[in-house]
Amino acid sequence: MWLKPVPSCFSMLKPYCSASPPPPTTLKFITAMKTTEEPDVGIFCYISQLPGFRGILKQRYSDFMVNEVDTEGNVVHLTNMDAPAETVKEIETKTHDATSKDYTTEIESFRSLVDPDDAERLEAIINQINSGSEDSILPIVLSPDYDKSHRTAVHNFFKENFKFLVTDTVDGPDASSKCIRVRINSGGQNSRGRNSRKRKERGDKPFDSRGSDDWSENVGKFLRFHLYKENKDTQEALGIIGKMLGVQPRSFGFAGTKDKRAVTTQRVTVFKQLASRLAALNDRLIGIKVGDFCYVKEGLVLGQLMGNRFTITLRGVVADSEDTIKASAIALGKQGFINYFGLQRFGSGSVPTHLIGATLLRGEWKSTVSLFLDPREGEKNAITEAREYYKETNDIEGTLRQLPRHLVSEKAILQCLKKCPGNYLQALKAIPRTLRMMYVHSYQSYLWNHAASMRVQKYGTDRVVLGDLVYCKGNEIEKVSEVVSSECVDENGNDTLDPIDLDDISGTNLPEERLNLVKAVTAEDILSGNYTIDDVVLPMPGSRVIFPENDIADVFHDLAKKDAISLTDSVHNVKEFSITSMTGSYRRVFQKPMDFEWEILKYIDANKPLVDTDFDKIAKTKPSSLNGDGRLHDKTKQSECLDNDIGLQTDDNGAKAKGEELPQAEFLCDTNPQETQTALKLSFTLPASCYATMAIRELLKTSTSVAFHKTLN
């Protein structure tokens, strides 16, 4: 499949937009869209007037490499998979309480409280303890329990009757269920254990079943390591590692979620685990490696990164001449690209996320629930049948049995409606918070993109104009009274998390600009030349942002008004679904790739990698310790080209709105092996929240939409 160039501009548009923006569509009257196209979400313009060229993006997932950049500016690589000499000692404590008593009566009482299968599990674990095989005992997880009061009764039963066991609550098989996990209380018979401490006493720190005394005090309690993965998303990789270690995925901390169809390296922390245990997993892990271990005092949280380093290889490049390729690459490095929110932000389903966000902002709870549950175009038959079944029968139980687990939002809504029929607002609040907030943030992004296009169309890309917003410089900060954070924060002070933004996006925060203030450019500023086009920002609407003091401000308000949404008043009192209850943020309109490098390569075999991954570099120094041919794993590598797509972005976070996923390019590997082809290798760093696909769009002058690439197949 080829990325065919489109005209870079039309003579009637200045400056250089790919198409004239159509009148904004009133989202209120849209029910479904087959696919989301760039103009639908305000993406119209390019900076450069240069023509584009053809290129294949992600012919192999190893053509898209992402290395996290930490807060100190260091690019994260996997360099060593060996565990360091351990200085950590786990203090073992044995629990012999179970062997001193017959628990038949307690087990029978427990049988009356829970399912028979759960009683059998408990009896089995007690028998294991009595047999002296305590070291090999794994935790047991009881059946899903939707009743919190019943779960409390079960917890209390264990506290009263089985002091040598400890319980905690873990996520169930679907979004609205919970399960009780039972394991040995290694704190001893008379120890209340860390788990029995209230959350406030723990300071909301991760739960540690071994207790605070079971770890050397002179060593950090978090193990930090570098996670290298191929063709797996972050949650999937950590889920596999967690299962091998016997810990939950939520025990891990990381700064940003990375995409599946790529080769990525990032930092991860886990609470109180030995490096030797993780290093030992490398022989069993497929498509995943861990290394560069060290112990630290604090775990990673979302947003603790400066950005990402991208190494992208465009294969099958065809242009009028090599000079065209060189000129475009040079222009991207010097001029940058328009810092649009990419199509990934808006999902790839037939109901875009900003449409759902608009209905939430209007307070149309029942309509929003319908958008989630109604049949959609383009889904798999099984999902379509489940949606149609619910629409025809209103049978919640039957629908839940049919819906796949990854539809987290839909299942959470139905579980709540089962308990509270007709309470649509409560049903929407049952969706995990990071997911439900994503929809409102998507609508903010929709407004921002339109405003950015109008700013480029009306005022160009080479100068600051009167009324533009810029981050203040130097002593001017003292002249501005309004303090505004440069990232999205809700009224509770929680940083926003957009699950759609994966490895194509360079993060979720701009920590170095958190305290920067914003002002409107004055005539004096223009005369002084104190600001350049690179300083221009536009707001993500919220209660504490200011708008440009020129006609670009009207774009925000007029477009929102067409959607029956006010940016200054809320029609309902549900704060989390109200722009006026959000602080807001700012985003740079233009972004230049940092440490930008490019190289034109020639190749014959499309099945061979053109750039070494982190693991490839290790393999060259330690070939004997790896699989026979020195590759990370044979099966996936051999099928990499056959499994090929040129998806600019995928999202494999289960029910999260899926990122942009382009169609399969089945015949790309059947190229003539004797024919020399051209590739363009690009390496650059982007700060947090920037989309690499928007940089590639500027280079190739092509749309990143699914529909566009299907027409080229």
Side-chain angles (χ1 to χ4, degrees), residues 373-404:
L373 299 180
D374 283 352
R376 303 180 178 186
E377 294 183 41
E379 288 188 316
K380 293 181 178 179
N381 290 339
I383 299 176
T384 300
E385 290 171 3
R387 293 185 187 277
E388 290 176 346
Y389 175 80
Y390 177 72
K391 194 170 182 68
E392 294 170 2
T393 66
N394 221 31
D395 176 10
I396 293 177
E397 282 285 2
T399 306
L400 284 171
R401 285 194 295 269
Q402 296 181 51
L403 285 176

PDB file of all heavy atoms in Angstrom, residues 373-404:
ATOM      1  N   LEU A 373     -24.382   2.240  23.432  1.00  0.00           N
ATOM      2  CA  LEU A 373     -24.968   0.908  23.328  1.00  0.00           C
ATOM      3  C   LEU A 373     -25.594   0.582  21.982  1.00  0.00           C
ATOM      4  O   LEU A 373     -25.707  -0.588  21.624  1.00  0.00           O
ATOM      5  CB  LEU A 373     -26.027   0.732  24.427  1.00  0.00           C
ATOM      6  CG  LEU A 373     -25.535   0.854  25.871  1.00  0.00           C
ATOM      7  CD1 LEU A 373     -26.701   0.668  26.829  1.00  0.00           C
ATOM      8  CD2 LEU A 373     -24.431  -0.153  26.172  1.00  0.00           C
ATOM      9  N   ASP A 374     -26.001   1.580  21.225  1.00  0.00           N
ATOM     10  CA  ASP A 374     -26.702   1.320  19.969  1.00  0.00           C
ATOM     11  C   ASP A 374     -25.789   0.642  18.949  1.00  0.00           C
ATOM     12  O   ASP A 374     -24.562   0.791  19.002  1.00  0.00           O
ATOM     13  CB  ASP A 374     -27.245   2.621  19.379  1.00  0.00           C
ATOM     14  CG  ASP A 374     -28.500   3.095  20.093  1.00  0.00           C
ATOM     15  OD1 ASP A 374     -29.019   2.351  20.935  1.00  0.00           O
ATOM     16  OD2 ASP A 374     -28.952   4.227  19.805  1.00  0.00           O
ATOM     17  N   PRO A 375     -26.373  -0.090  17.990  1.00  0.00           N
ATOM     18  CA  PRO A 375     -25.565  -0.709  16.934  1.00  0.00           C
ATOM     19  C   PRO A 375     -24.753   0.333  16.173  1.00  0.00           C
ATOM     20  O   PRO A 375     -25.198   1.466  15.968  1.00  0.00           O
ATOM     21  CB  PRO A 375     -26.628  -1.356  16.027  1.00  0.00           C
ATOM     22  CG  PRO A 375     -27.800  -1.582  16.920  1.00  0.00           C
ATOM     23  CD  PRO A 375     -27.794  -0.429  17.884  1.00  0.00           C
ATOM     24  N   ARG A 376     -23.550  -0.077  15.754  1.00  0.00           N
ATOM     25  CA  ARG A 376     -22.640   0.814  15.027  1.00  0.00           C
ATOM     26  C   ARG A 376     -22.197   0.166  13.728  1.00  0.00           C
ATOM     27  O   ARG A 376     -22.180  -1.060  13.609  1.00  0.00           O
ATOM     28  CB  ARG A 376     -21.402   1.122  15.877  1.00  0.00           C
ATOM     29  CG  ARG A 376     -21.684   1.742  17.221  1.00  0.00           C
ATOM     30  CD  ARG A 376     -20.378   2.005  17.962  1.00  0.00           C
ATOM     31  NE  ARG A 376     -20.589   2.648  19.248  1.00  0.00           N
ATOM     32  CZ  ARG A 376     -19.612   3.088  20.025  1.00  0.00           C
ATOM     33  NH1 ARG A 376     -18.345   2.928  19.647  1.00  0.00           N
ATOM     34  NH2 ARG A 376     -19.867   3.665  21.175  1.00  0.00           N
ATOM     35  N   GLU A 377     -21.804   1.006  12.805  1.00  0.00           N
ATOM     36  CA  GLU A 377     -21.257   0.489  11.553  1.00  0.00           C
ATOM     37  C   GLU A 377     -19.813   0.016  11.759  1.00  0.00           C
ATOM     38  O   GLU A 377     -19.076   0.563  12.555  1.00  0.00           O
ATOM     39  CB  GLU A 377     -21.265   1.584  10.476  1.00  0.00           C
ATOM     40  CG  GLU A 377     -22.650   2.030  10.057  1.00  0.00           C
ATOM     41  CD  GLU A 377     -22.577   3.054   8.929  1.00  0.00           C
ATOM     42  OE1 GLU A 377     -21.750   2.869   8.023  1.00  0.00           O
ATOM     43  OE2 GLU A 377     -23.335   4.022   8.968  1.00  0.00           O
ATOM     44  N   GLY A 378     -19.452  -1.017  11.003  1.00  0.00           N
ATOM     45  CA  GLY A 378     -18.056  -1.409  10.919  1.00  0.00           C
ATOM     46  C   GLY A 378     -17.539  -2.278  12.040  1.00  0.00           C
ATOM     47  O   GLY A 378     -16.337  -2.551  12.097  1.00  0.00           O
ATOM     48  N   GLU A 379     -18.390  -2.722  12.965  1.00  0.00           N
ATOM     49  CA  GLU A 379     -17.919  -3.574  14.045  1.00  0.00           C
ATOM     50  C   GLU A 379     -18.030  -5.051  13.655  1.00  0.00           C
ATOM     51  O   GLU A 379     -18.708  -5.416  12.699  1.00  0.00           O
ATOM     52  CB  GLU A 379     -18.725  -3.319  15.323  1.00  0.00           C
ATOM     53  CG  GLU A 379     -18.416  -1.992  15.983  1.00  0.00           C
ATOM     54  CD  GLU A 379     -19.076  -1.850  17.345  1.00  0.00           C
ATOM     55  OE1 GLU A 379     -20.261  -2.198  17.467  1.00  0.00           O
ATOM     56  OE2 GLU A 379     -18.412  -1.371  18.270  1.00  0.00           O
ATOM     57  N   LYS A 380     -17.384  -5.908  14.426  1.00  0.00           N
ATOM     58  CA  LYS A 380     -17.470  -7.339  14.178  1.00  0.00           C
ATOM     59  C   LYS A 380     -18.904  -7.814  14.368  1.00  0.00           C
ATOM     60  O   LYS A 380     -19.657  -7.256  15.171  1.00  0.00           O
ATOM     61  CB  LYS A 380     -16.531  -8.099  15.122  1.00  0.00           C
ATOM     62  CG  LYS A 380     -15.057  -7.842  14.854  1.00  0.00           C
ATOM     63  CD  LYS A 380     -14.180  -8.645  15.795  1.00  0.00           C
ATOM     64  CE  LYS A 380     -12.699  -8.421  15.493  1.00  0.00           C
ATOM     65  NZ  LYS A 380     -11.833  -9.181  16.406  1.00  0.00           N
ATOM     66  N   ASN A 381     -19.257  -8.861  13.658  1.00  0.00           N
ATOM     67  CA  ASN A 381     -20.635  -9.357  13.674  1.00  0.00           C
ATOM     68  C   ASN A 381     -21.124  -9.687  15.070  1.00  0.00           C
ATOM     69  O   ASN A 381     -22.269  -9.394  15.423  1.00  0.00           O
ATOM     70  CB  ASN A 381     -20.757 -10.588  12.774  1.00  0.00           C
ATOM     71  CG  ASN A 381     -20.636 -10.238  11.303  1.00  0.00           C
ATOM     72  OD1 ASN A 381     -20.844  -9.090  10.912  1.00  0.00           O
ATOM     73  ND2 ASN A 381     -20.287 -11.216  10.480  1.00  0.00           N
ATOM     74  N   ALA A 382     -20.262 -10.303  15.877  1.00  0.00           N
ATOM     75  CA  ALA A 382     -20.671 -10.700  17.223  1.00  0.00           C
ATOM     76  C   ALA A 382     -21.057  -9.489  18.067  1.00  0.00           C
ATOM     77  O   ALA A 382     -22.040  -9.531  18.832  1.00  0.00           O
ATOM     78  CB  ALA A 382     -19.548 -11.479  17.899  1.00  0.00           C
ATOM     79  N   ILE A 383     -20.293  -8.399  17.923  1.00  0.00           N
ATOM     80  CA  ILE A 383     -20.597  -7.188  18.686  1.00  0.00           C
ATOM     81  C   ILE A 383     -21.874  -6.548  18.160  1.00  0.00           C
ATOM     82  O   ILE A 383     -22.736  -6.111  18.938  1.00  0.00           O
ATOM     83  CB  ILE A 383     -19.419  -6.199  18.617  1.00  0.00           C
ATOM     84  CG1 ILE A 383     -18.163  -6.830  19.225  1.00  0.00           C
ATOM     85  CG2 ILE A 383     -19.761  -4.896  19.327  1.00  0.00           C
ATOM     86  CD1 ILE A 383     -16.924  -5.972  19.115  1.00  0.00           C
ATOM     87  N   THR A 384     -22.017  -6.499  16.834  1.00  0.00           N
ATOM     88  CA  THR A 384     -23.227  -5.931  16.243  1.00  0.00           C
ATOM     89  C   THR A 384     -24.460  -6.698  16.692  1.00  0.00           C
ATOM     90  O   THR A 384     -25.495  -6.104  17.034  1.00  0.00           O
ATOM     91  CB  THR A 384     -23.123  -5.949  14.707  1.00  0.00           C
ATOM     92  OG1 THR A 384     -21.994  -5.166  14.311  1.00  0.00           O
ATOM     93  CG2 THR A 384     -24.382  -5.388  14.065  1.00  0.00           C
ATOM     94  N   GLU A 385     -24.361  -8.014  16.705  1.00  0.00           N
ATOM     95  CA  GLU A 385     -25.496  -8.834  17.128  1.00  0.00           C
ATOM     96  C   GLU A 385     -25.843  -8.582  18.588  1.00  0.00           C
ATOM     97  O   GLU A 385     -27.026  -8.539  18.956  1.00  0.00           O
ATOM     98  CB  GLU A 385     -25.166 -10.313  16.905  1.00  0.00           C
ATOM     99  CG  GLU A 385     -25.117 -10.705  15.435  1.00  0.00           C
ATOM    100  CD  GLU A 385     -24.583 -12.106  15.230  1.00  0.00           C
ATOM    101  OE1 GLU A 385     -24.314 -12.793  16.251  1.00  0.00           O
ATOM    102  OE2 GLU A 385     -24.429 -12.518  14.065  1.00  0.00           O
ATOM    103  N   ALA A 386     -24.837  -8.407  19.442  1.00  0.00           N
ATOM    104  CA  ALA A 386     -25.093  -8.125  20.854  1.00  0.00           C
ATOM    105  C   ALA A 386     -25.790  -6.781  21.022  1.00  0.00           C
ATOM    106  O   ALA A 386     -26.735  -6.651  21.811  1.00  0.00           O
ATOM    107  CB  ALA A 386     -23.774  -8.144  21.638  1.00  0.00           C
ATOM    108  N   ARG A 387     -25.339  -5.780  20.273  1.00  0.00           N
ATOM    109  CA  ARG A 387     -25.972  -4.457  20.358  1.00  0.00           C
ATOM    110  C   ARG A 387     -27.414  -4.513  19.859  1.00  0.00           C
ATOM    111  O   ARG A 387     -28.316  -3.921  20.471  1.00  0.00           O
ATOM    112  CB  ARG A 387     -25.160  -3.440  19.541  1.00  0.00           C
ATOM    113  CG  ARG A 387     -23.758  -3.136  20.086  1.00  0.00           C
ATOM    114  CD  ARG A 387     -23.117  -2.023  19.272  1.00  0.00           C
ATOM    115  NE  ARG A 387     -21.736  -1.792  19.623  1.00  0.00           N
ATOM    116  CZ  ARG A 387     -21.334  -1.038  20.660  1.00  0.00           C
ATOM    117  NH1 ARG A 387     -22.233  -0.484  21.445  1.00  0.00           N
ATOM    118  NH2 ARG A 387     -20.046  -0.860  20.898  1.00  0.00           N
ATOM    119  N   GLU A 388     -27.620  -5.187  18.749  1.00  0.00           N
ATOM    120  CA  GLU A 388     -28.977  -5.289  18.204  1.00  0.00           C
ATOM    121  C   GLU A 388     -29.890  -6.075  19.142  1.00  0.00           C
ATOM    122  O   GLU A 388     -31.072  -5.756  19.287  1.00  0.00           O
ATOM    123  CB  GLU A 388     -28.925  -5.941  16.823  1.00  0.00           C
ATOM    124  CG  GLU A 388     -28.287  -5.036  15.760  1.00  0.00           C
ATOM    125  CD  GLU A 388     -28.140  -5.725  14.418  1.00  0.00           C
ATOM    126  OE1 GLU A 388     -28.288  -6.973  14.373  1.00  0.00           O
ATOM    127  OE2 GLU A 388     -27.860  -5.023  13.424  1.00  0.00           O
ATOM    128  N   TYR A 389     -29.324  -7.098  19.772  1.00  0.00           N
ATOM    129  CA  TYR A 389     -30.103  -7.891  20.728  1.00  0.00           C
ATOM    130  C   TYR A 389     -30.591  -7.013  21.876  1.00  0.00           C
ATOM    131  O   TYR A 389     -31.757  -7.088  22.285  1.00  0.00           O
ATOM    132  CB  TYR A 389     -29.244  -9.037  21.262  1.00  0.00           C
ATOM    133  CG  TYR A 389     -29.916  -9.849  22.342  1.00  0.00           C
ATOM    134  CD1 TYR A 389     -30.856 -10.822  22.018  1.00  0.00           C
ATOM    135  CD2 TYR A 389     -29.604  -9.637  23.686  1.00  0.00           C
ATOM    136  CE1 TYR A 389     -31.479 -11.561  23.015  1.00  0.00           C
ATOM    137  CE2 TYR A 389     -30.221 -10.366  24.690  1.00  0.00           C
ATOM    138  CZ  TYR A 389     -31.158 -11.334  24.353  1.00  0.00           C
ATOM    139  OH  TYR A 389     -31.771 -12.048  25.335  1.00  0.00           O
ATOM    140  N   TYR A 390     -29.699  -6.170  22.406  1.00  0.00           N
ATOM    141  CA  TYR A 390     -30.104  -5.298  23.509  1.00  0.00           C
ATOM    142  C   TYR A 390     -31.155  -4.289  23.057  1.00  0.00           C
ATOM    143  O   TYR A 390     -32.129  -4.024  23.778  1.00  0.00           O
ATOM    144  CB  TYR A 390     -28.893  -4.563  24.084  1.00  0.00           C
ATOM    145  CG  TYR A 390     -29.273  -3.594  25.191  1.00  0.00           C
ATOM    146  CD1 TYR A 390     -29.673  -4.061  26.429  1.00  0.00           C
ATOM    147  CD2 TYR A 390     -29.260  -2.215  24.970  1.00  0.00           C
ATOM    148  CE1 TYR A 390     -30.047  -3.188  27.442  1.00  0.00           C
ATOM    149  CE2 TYR A 390     -29.623  -1.336  25.971  1.00  0.00           C
ATOM    150  CZ  TYR A 390     -30.021  -1.823  27.208  1.00  0.00           C
ATOM    151  OH  TYR A 390     -30.402  -0.953  28.197  1.00  0.00           O
ATOM    152  N   LYS A 391     -30.968  -3.723  21.872  1.00  0.00           N
ATOM    153  CA  LYS A 391     -31.912  -2.717  21.373  1.00  0.00           C
ATOM    154  C   LYS A 391     -33.311  -3.322  21.188  1.00  0.00           C
ATOM    155  O   LYS A 391     -34.326  -2.672  21.431  1.00  0.00           O
ATOM    156  CB  LYS A 391     -31.408  -2.142  20.047  1.00  0.00           C
ATOM    157  CG  LYS A 391     -32.124  -0.860  19.617  1.00  0.00           C
ATOM    158  CD  LYS A 391     -31.423  -0.230  18.437  1.00  0.00           C
ATOM    159  CE  LYS A 391     -32.109   1.082  18.044  1.00  0.00           C
ATOM    160  NZ  LYS A 391     -31.942   2.124  19.079  1.00  0.00           N
ATOM    161  N   GLU A 392     -33.365  -4.595  20.783  1.00  0.00           N
ATOM    162  CA  GLU A 392     -34.653  -5.248  20.529  1.00  0.00           C
ATOM    163  C   GLU A 392     -35.291  -5.804  21.792  1.00  0.00           C
ATOM    164  O   GLU A 392     -36.517  -5.791  21.929  1.00  0.00           O
ATOM    165  CB  GLU A 392     -34.453  -6.388  19.520  1.00  0.00           C
ATOM    166  CG  GLU A 392     -34.047  -5.908  18.134  1.00  0.00           C
ATOM    167  CD  GLU A 392     -33.618  -7.053  17.233  1.00  0.00           C
ATOM    168  OE1 GLU A 392     -33.681  -8.227  17.697  1.00  0.00           O
ATOM    169  OE2 GLU A 392     -33.219  -6.783  16.082  1.00  0.00           O
ATOM    170  N   THR A 393     -34.474  -6.291  22.740  1.00  0.00           N
ATOM    171  CA  THR A 393     -35.031  -7.002  23.899  1.00  0.00           C
ATOM    172  C   THR A 393     -34.880  -6.270  25.228  1.00  0.00           C
ATOM    173  O   THR A 393     -35.601  -6.563  26.178  1.00  0.00           O
ATOM    174  CB  THR A 393     -34.339  -8.367  24.048  1.00  0.00           C
ATOM    175  OG1 THR A 393     -32.953  -8.159  24.388  1.00  0.00           O
ATOM    176  CG2 THR A 393     -34.430  -9.157  22.746  1.00  0.00           C
ATOM    177  N   ASN A 394     -33.908  -5.365  25.311  1.00  0.00           N
ATOM    178  CA  ASN A 394     -33.601  -4.688  26.574  1.00  0.00           C
ATOM    179  C   ASN A 394     -33.150  -5.674  27.659  1.00  0.00           C
ATOM    180  O   ASN A 394     -33.238  -5.388  28.850  1.00  0.00           O
ATOM    181  CB  ASN A 394     -34.809  -3.884  27.069  1.00  0.00           C
ATOM    182  CG  ASN A 394     -34.391  -2.542  27.641  1.00  0.00           C
ATOM    183  OD1 ASN A 394     -33.409  -1.951  27.208  1.00  0.00           O
ATOM    184  ND2 ASN A 394     -35.128  -2.056  28.625  1.00  0.00           N
ATOM    185  N   ASP A 395     -32.664  -6.835  27.228  1.00  0.00           N
ATOM    186  CA  ASP A 395     -32.213  -7.874  28.151  1.00  0.00           C
ATOM    187  C   ASP A 395     -30.758  -7.617  28.529  1.00  0.00           C
ATOM    188  O   ASP A 395     -29.835  -7.908  27.759  1.00  0.00           O
ATOM    189  CB  ASP A 395     -32.368  -9.245  27.481  1.00  0.00           C
ATOM    190  CG  ASP A 395     -31.830 -10.380  28.344  1.00  0.00           C
ATOM    191  OD1 ASP A 395     -31.520 -10.142  29.533  1.00  0.00           O
ATOM    192  OD2 ASP A 395     -31.710 -11.506  27.822  1.00  0.00           O
ATOM    193  N   ILE A 396     -30.565  -7.067  29.721  1.00  0.00           N
ATOM    194  CA  ILE A 396     -29.218  -6.700  30.144  1.00  0.00           C
ATOM    195  C   ILE A 396     -28.352  -7.938  30.370  1.00  0.00           C
ATOM    196  O   ILE A 396     -27.212  -8.013  29.900  1.00  0.00           O
ATOM    197  CB  ILE A 396     -29.264  -5.829  31.414  1.00  0.00           C
ATOM    198  CG1 ILE A 396     -29.895  -4.464  31.091  1.00  0.00           C
ATOM    199  CG2 ILE A 396     -27.866  -5.644  31.999  1.00  0.00           C
ATOM    200  CD1 ILE A 396     -30.048  -3.554  32.286  1.00  0.00           C
ATOM    201  N   GLU A 397     -28.879  -8.920  31.104  1.00  0.00           N
ATOM    202  CA  GLU A 397     -28.102 -10.122  31.391  1.00  0.00           C
ATOM    203  C   GLU A 397     -27.647 -10.817  30.107  1.00  0.00           C
ATOM    204  O   GLU A 397     -26.495 -11.197  29.955  1.00  0.00           O
ATOM    205  CB  GLU A 397     -28.936 -11.089  32.246  1.00  0.00           C
ATOM    206  CG  GLU A 397     -29.020 -10.706  33.713  1.00  0.00           C
ATOM    207  CD  GLU A 397     -27.739 -10.987  34.474  1.00  0.00           C
ATOM    208  OE1 GLU A 397     -26.765 -11.457  33.848  1.00  0.00           O
ATOM    209  OE2 GLU A 397     -27.701 -10.700  35.682  1.00  0.00           O
ATOM    210  N   GLY A 398     -28.584 -10.978  29.169  1.00  0.00           N
ATOM    211  CA  GLY A 398     -28.249 -11.645  27.918  1.00  0.00           C
ATOM    212  C   GLY A 398     -27.234 -10.871  27.110  1.00  0.00           C
ATOM    213  O   GLY A 398     -26.345 -11.461  26.473  1.00  0.00           O
ATOM    214  N   THR A 399     -27.340  -9.547  27.144  1.00  0.00           N
ATOM    215  CA  THR A 399     -26.394  -8.711  26.406  1.00  0.00           C
ATOM    216  C   THR A 399     -25.004  -8.792  27.021  1.00  0.00           C
ATOM    217  O   THR A 399     -23.998  -8.874  26.310  1.00  0.00           O
ATOM    218  CB  THR A 399     -26.872  -7.257  26.373  1.00  0.00           C
ATOM    219  OG1 THR A 399     -28.202  -7.202  25.868  1.00  0.00           O
ATOM    220  CG2 THR A 399     -25.959  -6.405  25.489  1.00  0.00           C
ATOM    221  N   LEU A 400     -24.938  -8.769  28.350  1.00  0.00           N
ATOM    222  CA  LEU A 400     -23.644  -8.850  29.025  1.00  0.00           C
ATOM    223  C   LEU A 400     -22.929 -10.156  28.696  1.00  0.00           C
ATOM    224  O   LEU A 400     -21.704 -10.188  28.573  1.00  0.00           O
ATOM    225  CB  LEU A 400     -23.829  -8.724  30.543  1.00  0.00           C
ATOM    226  CG  LEU A 400     -24.105  -7.318  31.075  1.00  0.00           C
ATOM    227  CD1 LEU A 400     -24.496  -7.365  32.544  1.00  0.00           C
ATOM    228  CD2 LEU A 400     -22.898  -6.418  30.880  1.00  0.00           C
ATOM    229  N   ARG A 401     -23.685 -11.220  28.547  1.00  0.00           N
ATOM    230  CA  ARG A 401     -23.066 -12.501  28.203  1.00  0.00           C
ATOM    231  C   ARG A 401     -22.481 -12.481  26.791  1.00  0.00           C
ATOM    232  O   ARG A 401     -21.510 -13.182  26.497  1.00  0.00           O
ATOM    233  CB  ARG A 401     -24.092 -13.632  28.328  1.00  0.00           C
ATOM    234  CG  ARG A 401     -24.405 -14.030  29.765  1.00  0.00           C
ATOM    235  CD  ARG A 401     -25.147 -15.347  29.825  1.00  0.00           C
ATOM    236  NE  ARG A 401     -26.471 -15.258  29.216  1.00  0.00           N
ATOM    237  CZ  ARG A 401     -27.589 -14.952  29.877  1.00  0.00           C
ATOM    238  NH1 ARG A 401     -27.525 -14.712  31.180  1.00  0.00           N
ATOM    239  NH2 ARG A 401     -28.746 -14.899  29.247  1.00  0.00           N
ATOM    240  N   GLN A 402     -23.040 -11.661  25.922  1.00  0.00           N
ATOM    241  CA  GLN A 402     -22.591 -11.621  24.530  1.00  0.00           C
ATOM    242  C   GLN A 402     -21.457 -10.637  24.287  1.00  0.00           C
ATOM    243  O   GLN A 402     -20.629 -10.839  23.394  1.00  0.00           O
ATOM    244  CB  GLN A 402     -23.764 -11.248  23.609  1.00  0.00           C
ATOM    245  CG  GLN A 402     -24.895 -12.264  23.583  1.00  0.00           C
ATOM    246  CD  GLN A 402     -26.000 -11.853  22.634  1.00  0.00           C
ATOM    247  OE1 GLN A 402     -25.758 -11.536  21.472  1.00  0.00           O
ATOM    248  NE2 GLN A 402     -27.228 -11.840  23.137  1.00  0.00           N
ATOM    249  N   LEU A 403     -21.419  -9.554  25.059  1.00  0.00           N
ATOM    250  CA  LEU A 403     -20.413  -8.517  24.817  1.00  0.00           C
ATOM    251  C   LEU A 403     -19.023  -9.004  25.210  1.00  0.00           C
ATOM    252  O   LEU A 403     -18.847  -9.586  26.286  1.00  0.00           O
ATOM    253  CB  LEU A 403     -20.746  -7.250  25.603  1.00  0.00           C
ATOM    254  CG  LEU A 403     -21.893  -6.384  25.084  1.00  0.00           C
ATOM    255  CD1 LEU A 403     -22.143  -5.229  26.042  1.00  0.00           C
ATOM    256  CD2 LEU A 403     -21.594  -5.855  23.689  1.00  0.00           C
ATOM    257  N   PRO A 404     -18.016  -8.761  24.395  1.00  0.00           N
ATOM    258  CA  PRO A 404     -16.647  -9.145  24.762  1.00  0.00           C
ATOM    259  C   PRO A 404     -16.130  -8.291  25.908  1.00  0.00           C
ATOM    260  O   PRO A 404     -16.595  -7.168  26.141  1.00  0.00           O
ATOM    261  CB  PRO A 404     -15.858  -8.885  23.474  1.00  0.00           C
ATOM    262  CG  PRO A 404     -16.660  -7.887  22.715  1.00  0.00           C
ATOM    263  CD  PRO A 404     -18.088  -8.159  23.050  1.00  0.00           C
TER     264      PRO A 404
END
